[in-house]
PDB file of all heavy atoms in Angstrom:
ATOM      1  N   VAL A 109      19.676   1.980  11.834  1.00 97.00           N
ATOM      2  CA  VAL A 109      20.139   3.107  11.017  1.00 97.00           C
ATOM      3  C   VAL A 109      20.611   4.229  11.910  1.00 97.00           C
ATOM      4  O   VAL A 109      20.085   4.440  13.017  1.00 97.00           O
ATOM      5  CB  VAL A 109      19.038   3.624  10.063  1.00 97.00           C
ATOM      6  CG1 VAL A 109      18.693   2.580   9.021  1.00 97.00           C
ATOM      7  CG2 VAL A 109      17.793   4.031  10.838  1.00 97.00           C
ATOM      8  N   SER A 110      21.624   4.933  11.461  1.00 96.00           N
ATOM      9  CA  SER A 110      22.183   6.004  12.278  1.00 96.00           C
ATOM     10  C   SER A 110      21.344   7.275  12.223  1.00 96.00           C
ATOM     11  O   SER A 110      21.358   8.107  13.159  1.00 96.00           O
ATOM     12  CB  SER A 110      23.620   6.322  11.815  1.00 96.00           C
ATOM     13  OG  SER A 110      23.637   6.666  10.431  1.00 96.00           O
ATOM     14  N   GLU A 111      20.575   7.445  11.147  1.00 97.00           N
ATOM     15  CA  GLU A 111      19.744   8.642  10.986  1.00 97.00           C
ATOM     16  C   GLU A 111      18.318   8.194  10.613  1.00 97.00           C
ATOM     17  O   GLU A 111      17.972   8.121   9.446  1.00 97.00           O
ATOM     18  CB  GLU A 111      20.309   9.543   9.909  1.00 97.00           C
ATOM     19  CG  GLU A 111      21.688  10.111  10.252  1.00 97.00           C
ATOM     20  CD  GLU A 111      22.194  11.046   9.136  1.00 97.00           C
ATOM     21  OE1 GLU A 111      21.462  11.283   8.180  1.00 97.00           O
ATOM     22  OE2 GLU A 111      23.346  11.533   9.271  1.00 97.00           O
ATOM     23  N   PRO A 112      17.501   7.893  11.617  1.00 98.00           N
ATOM     24  CA  PRO A 112      16.130   7.432  11.355  1.00 98.00           C
ATOM     25  C   PRO A 112      15.307   8.506  10.635  1.00 98.00           C
ATOM     26  O   PRO A 112      15.434   9.693  10.902  1.00 98.00           O
ATOM     27  CB  PRO A 112      15.560   7.171  12.745  1.00 98.00           C
ATOM     28  CG  PRO A 112      16.739   7.068  13.647  1.00 98.00           C
ATOM     29  CD  PRO A 112      17.809   7.970  13.076  1.00 98.00           C
ATOM     30  N   LEU A 113      14.493   8.023   9.705  1.00 98.00           N
ATOM     31  CA  LEU A 113      13.603   8.914   8.939  1.00 98.00           C
ATOM     32  C   LEU A 113      12.163   8.710   9.398  1.00 98.00           C
ATOM     33  O   LEU A 113      11.791   7.620   9.884  1.00 98.00           O
ATOM     34  CB  LEU A 113      13.715   8.622   7.470  1.00 98.00           C
ATOM     35  CG  LEU A 113      15.092   8.742   6.789  1.00 98.00           C
ATOM     36  CD1 LEU A 113      15.000   8.331   5.305  1.00 98.00           C
ATOM     37  CD2 LEU A 113      15.630  10.165   6.930  1.00 98.00           C
ATOM     38  N   ASP A 114      11.344   9.734   9.169  1.00 98.00           N
ATOM     39  CA  ASP A 114       9.899   9.585   9.324  1.00 98.00           C
ATOM     40  C   ASP A 114       9.362   9.170   7.963  1.00 98.00           C
ATOM     41  O   ASP A 114       9.418   9.935   6.988  1.00 98.00           O
ATOM     42  CB  ASP A 114       9.266  10.909   9.756  1.00 98.00           C
ATOM     43  CG  ASP A 114       9.566  11.239  11.201  1.00 98.00           C
ATOM     44  OD1 ASP A 114       9.118  10.500  12.088  1.00 98.00           O
ATOM     45  OD2 ASP A 114      10.297  12.232  11.458  1.00 98.00           O
ATOM     46  N   VAL A 115       8.859   7.950   7.879  1.00 98.00           N
ATOM     47  CA  VAL A 115       8.483   7.335   6.645  1.00 98.00           C
ATOM     48  C   VAL A 115       6.962   7.028   6.637  1.00 98.00           C
ATOM     49  O   VAL A 115       6.439   6.507   7.634  1.00 98.00           O
ATOM     50  CB  VAL A 115       9.246   6.035   6.382  1.00 98.00           C
ATOM     51  CG1 VAL A 115       8.880   5.439   5.015  1.00 98.00           C
ATOM     52  CG2 VAL A 115      10.764   6.280   6.470  1.00 98.00           C
ATOM     53  N   ILE A 116       6.295   7.365   5.540  1.00 98.00           N
ATOM     54  CA  ILE A 116       4.920   6.972   5.310  1.00 98.00           C
ATOM     55  C   ILE A 116       4.939   5.906   4.230  1.00 98.00           C
ATOM     56  O   ILE A 116       5.459   6.157   3.140  1.00 98.00           O
ATOM     57  CB  ILE A 116       4.055   8.151   4.878  1.00 98.00           C
ATOM     58  CG1 ILE A 116       4.191   9.349   5.831  1.00 98.00           C
ATOM     59  CG2 ILE A 116       2.584   7.713   4.764  1.00 98.00           C
ATOM     60  CD1 ILE A 116       3.684   9.111   7.211  1.00 98.00           C
ATOM     61  N   VAL A 117       4.318   4.755   4.506  1.00 98.00           N
ATOM     62  CA  VAL A 117       4.121   3.743   3.475  1.00 98.00           C
ATOM     63  C   VAL A 117       2.635   3.754   3.109  1.00 98.00           C
ATOM     64  O   VAL A 117       1.793   3.445   3.939  1.00 98.00           O
ATOM     65  CB  VAL A 117       4.571   2.353   3.942  1.00 98.00           C
ATOM     66  CG1 VAL A 117       4.398   1.329   2.791  1.00 98.00           C
ATOM     67  CG2 VAL A 117       5.994   2.383   4.421  1.00 98.00           C
ATOM     68  N   ASP A 118       2.372   4.137   1.885  1.00 98.00           N
ATOM     69  CA  ASP A 118       1.017   4.250   1.343  1.00 98.00           C
ATOM     70  C   ASP A 118       0.721   2.974   0.574  1.00 98.00           C
ATOM     71  O   ASP A 118       1.329   2.711  -0.455  1.00 98.00           O
ATOM     72  CB  ASP A 118       0.912   5.489   0.446  1.00 98.00           C
ATOM     73  CG  ASP A 118      -0.423   5.716  -0.195  1.00 98.00           C
ATOM     74  OD1 ASP A 118      -1.066   4.726  -0.606  1.00 98.00           O
ATOM     75  OD2 ASP A 118      -0.826   6.886  -0.354  1.00 98.00           O
ATOM     76  N   TYR A 119      -0.192   2.124   1.111  1.00 96.00           N
ATOM     77  CA  TYR A 119      -0.401   0.862   0.441  1.00 96.00           C
ATOM     78  C   TYR A 119      -1.846   0.350   0.638  1.00 96.00           C
ATOM     79  O   TYR A 119      -2.568   0.895   1.485  1.00 96.00           O
ATOM     80  CB  TYR A 119       0.597  -0.197   0.873  1.00 96.00           C
ATOM     81  CG  TYR A 119       0.542  -0.641   2.320  1.00 96.00           C
ATOM     82  CD1 TYR A 119       0.076  -1.866   2.677  1.00 96.00           C
ATOM     83  CD2 TYR A 119       1.013   0.189   3.338  1.00 96.00           C
ATOM     84  CE1 TYR A 119       0.037  -2.295   3.993  1.00 96.00           C
ATOM     85  CE2 TYR A 119       1.022  -0.213   4.664  1.00 96.00           C
ATOM     86  CZ  TYR A 119       0.510  -1.469   4.990  1.00 96.00           C
ATOM     87  OH  TYR A 119       0.503  -1.877   6.306  1.00 96.00           O
ATOM     88  N   ALA A 120      -2.217  -0.632  -0.148  1.00 93.00           N
ATOM     89  CA  ALA A 120      -3.516  -1.287  -0.120  1.00 93.00           C
ATOM     90  C   ALA A 120      -4.576  -0.539  -0.946  1.00 93.00           C
ATOM     91  O   ALA A 120      -5.135  -1.100  -1.869  1.00 93.00           O
ATOM     92  CB  ALA A 120      -4.000  -1.580   1.285  1.00 93.00           C
ATOM     93  N   GLY A 121      -4.849   0.707  -0.609  1.00 90.00           N
ATOM     94  CA  GLY A 121      -5.769   1.527  -1.375  1.00 90.00           C
ATOM     95  C   GLY A 121      -7.199   0.990  -1.459  1.00 90.00           C
ATOM     96  O   GLY A 121      -7.739   0.893  -2.584  1.00 90.00           O
ATOM     97  N   PRO A 122      -7.842   0.666  -0.333  1.00 91.00           N
ATOM     98  CA  PRO A 122      -9.245   0.216  -0.401  1.00 91.00           C
ATOM     99  C   PRO A 122     -10.135   1.393  -0.784  1.00 91.00           C
ATOM    100  O   PRO A 122      -9.787   2.567  -0.614  1.00 91.00           O
ATOM    101  CB  PRO A 122      -9.526  -0.273   1.005  1.00 91.00           C
ATOM    102  CG  PRO A 122      -8.584   0.537   1.876  1.00 91.00           C
ATOM    103  CD  PRO A 122      -7.340   0.711   1.046  1.00 91.00           C
ATOM    104  N   ASN A 123     -11.344   1.079  -1.272  1.00 90.00           N
ATOM    105  CA  ASN A 123     -12.270   2.076  -1.707  1.00 90.00           C
ATOM    106  C   ASN A 123     -13.629   1.893  -1.064  1.00 90.00           C
ATOM    107  O   ASN A 123     -14.025   0.734  -0.771  1.00 90.00           O
ATOM    108  CB  ASN A 123     -12.467   2.033  -3.230  1.00 90.00           C
ATOM    109  CG  ASN A 123     -11.196   2.452  -3.962  1.00 90.00           C
ATOM    110  OD1 ASN A 123     -10.794   3.598  -3.938  1.00 90.00           O
ATOM    111  ND2 ASN A 123     -10.590   1.483  -4.624  1.00 90.00           N
TER     112      ASN A 123
END
Side-chain angles (χ1 to χ4, degrees):
V109 294
S110 57
E111 297 181 3
L113 302 177
D114 288 295
V115 183
I116 309 294
V117 183
D118 178 321
Y119 65 108
N123 293 292

